[in-house]
Amino acid sequence: MSNTPSRKVLNRLMVIDWADDTAAFQHVPSRALLMREYLRRAALWAQAYRAERSWPFFDIAAHIDATITTPLDVTEDLEPLLKDLAPASLRTTCSGAVRWAALRDAHPDLLEKLPDPYEPLLRMYERGGGFYLQEYLDLNGVMIPLRNVESNASTTSFVTLSPATLDALDGEGESTYFAKISNGHPRHSPRGIVRRRVDDDQTHDEAFTRNLRWEPTEYLKLYDLWHNDIDHVQITEIEAATFIETLTEKLAGTS
């Protein structure tokens, strides 16, 4: 059995529980962000190689170097996995990710200009399985619009793909994020972040602390009562993810 990059990707696919609805619901926010990032990256590759008509779920390697093949044992082991997957676009991306790994192995400089297209999608699959493609993309817990190549290519990038950061973005209900700002601590480098999470009509205010987890906070309630001098501004999930990852790296001494 080969131990090639394509085999490593296949091994990741083979251990995924494609019917794990519980995981899909537990990771709704992070899975949605990962899918949007795949759509953005795939759009960039489609534009670069004139493959807009094949976007969004396509074999990108085939448009770059059609001669690329995977080892025979990988191809043979991939076939039974694909047979049980639906829809067809899910099968296409799984085989495309395996072939992409072989392409990268043959062309090490491939990612100098554009990011790896399939990594966000692989991470999404690992956090609750696949998707259903209808008028909207159904991720089994959230539905997102496809839109078109141009609009996806121009969206904000989501580059924080570490499991710890993705886990921190998940939580039951709908979350709104805020950055605590002051002199010397602008929006892109806040004093801290908090979120208001609403689940089953219950409101939970939480701050991401130096313990690297969300903990209850009275900050937003005190602010509404004029008992807090620290200001805040609403931010996106992607901005919250950047703060979480930066703090994690700082406390780990890797930044």
Side-chain angles (χ1 to χ4, degrees):
M1 180 183 296
S2 63
N3 189 30
T4 60
S6 54
R7 165 61 65 178
K8 293 177 181 178
V9 171
L10 176 58
N11 288 343
R12 291 174 66 180
L13 294 171
M14 292 179 70
V15 299
I16 293 172
D17 183 351
W18 298 96
D20 190 353
D21 294 345
T22 299
F25 281 103
Q26 289 176 340
H27 299 302
V28 163
S30 62
R31 277 169 51 84
L33 282 168
L34 290 166
M35 174 58 82
R36 292 190 183 101
E37 178 61 10
Y38 163 77
L39 294 173
R40 184 188 76 87
R41 296 186 184 190
L44 293 174
W45 284 97
Q47 289 178 332
Y49 289 90
R50 299 181 180 179
E52 289 91 343
R53 291 188 178 182
S54 298
W55 182 89
F57 303 110
F58 63 116
D59 184 348
I60 299 174
H63 291 271
I64 300 174
D65 185 351
T67 68
I68 290 295
T69 59
T70 57
L72 180 59
D73 64 298
V74 172
T75 302
E76 291 176 345
D77 290 345
L78 178 62
E79 288 180 359
L81 170 68
L82 298 180
K83 182 180 64 174
D84 296 328
L85 294 182
S89 49
L90 177 57
R91 297 192 295 272
T92 298
T93 54
C94 287
S95 60
V98 172
R99 191 174 181 186
W100 174 262
L103 179 68
R104 283 192 58 185
D105 192 36
H107 301 279
D109 60 344
L110 192 61
L111 300 182
E112 289 184 356
K113 295 182 179 180
L114 294 176
D116 186 322
Y118 289 108
E119 186 59 31
L121 201 58
L122 289 171
R123 302 241 177 168
M124 195 207 79
Y125 292 158
E126 291 169 335
R127 299 177 73 80
F131 59 86
Y132 299 96
L133 182 58
Q134 301 172 11
E135 184 178 353
Y136 286 79
L137 265 173
D138 184 350
L139 305 187
N140 199 2
V142 64
M143 300 182 72
I144 62 176
L146 264 179
R147 299 179 295 170
N148 56 37
V149 173
E150 291 75 17
S151 60
N152 278 277
S154 62
T155 58
T156 303
S157 62
F158 177 60
V159 297
T160 51
L161 303 183
S162 74
T165 301
L166 295 173
D167 287 344
L169 295 173
D170 290 329
E172 295 182 356
E174 297 288 334
S175 294
T176 305
Y177 295 89
F178 303 91
K180 297 165 70 175
I181 57 175
S182 62
N183 289 335
H185 292 281
R187 176 175 182 152
H188 67 270
S189 182
R191 297 167 62 103
I193 62 171
V194 296
R195 72 179 179 185
R196 173 158 286 175
R197 185 168 54 84
V198 180
D199 181 40
D200 289 337
D201 296 325
Q202 297 292 315
T203 298
H204 308 272
D205 290 345
E206 302 161 329
F208 194 80
T209 72
R210 295 178 68 86
N211 294 322
L212 302 182
R213 63 174 179 261
W214 294 103
E215 297 179 346
T217 180
E218 295 293 317
Y219 166 80
L220 292 172
K221 293 179 181 177
L222 292 173
Y223 186 90
D224 291 340
L225 294 172
W226 299 86
H227 291 166
N228 201 321
D229 295 331
I230 302 175
D231 207 351
H232 62 270
V233 62
Q234 186 172 337
I235 59 174
T236 66
E237 292 173 300
I238 293 176
E239 290 174 297
T242 300
F243 174 87
I244 291 168
E245 191 142 303
T246 299
L247 179 62
T248 301
E249 292 174 350
K250 180 180 178 180
L251 294 179
T254 57
S255 63

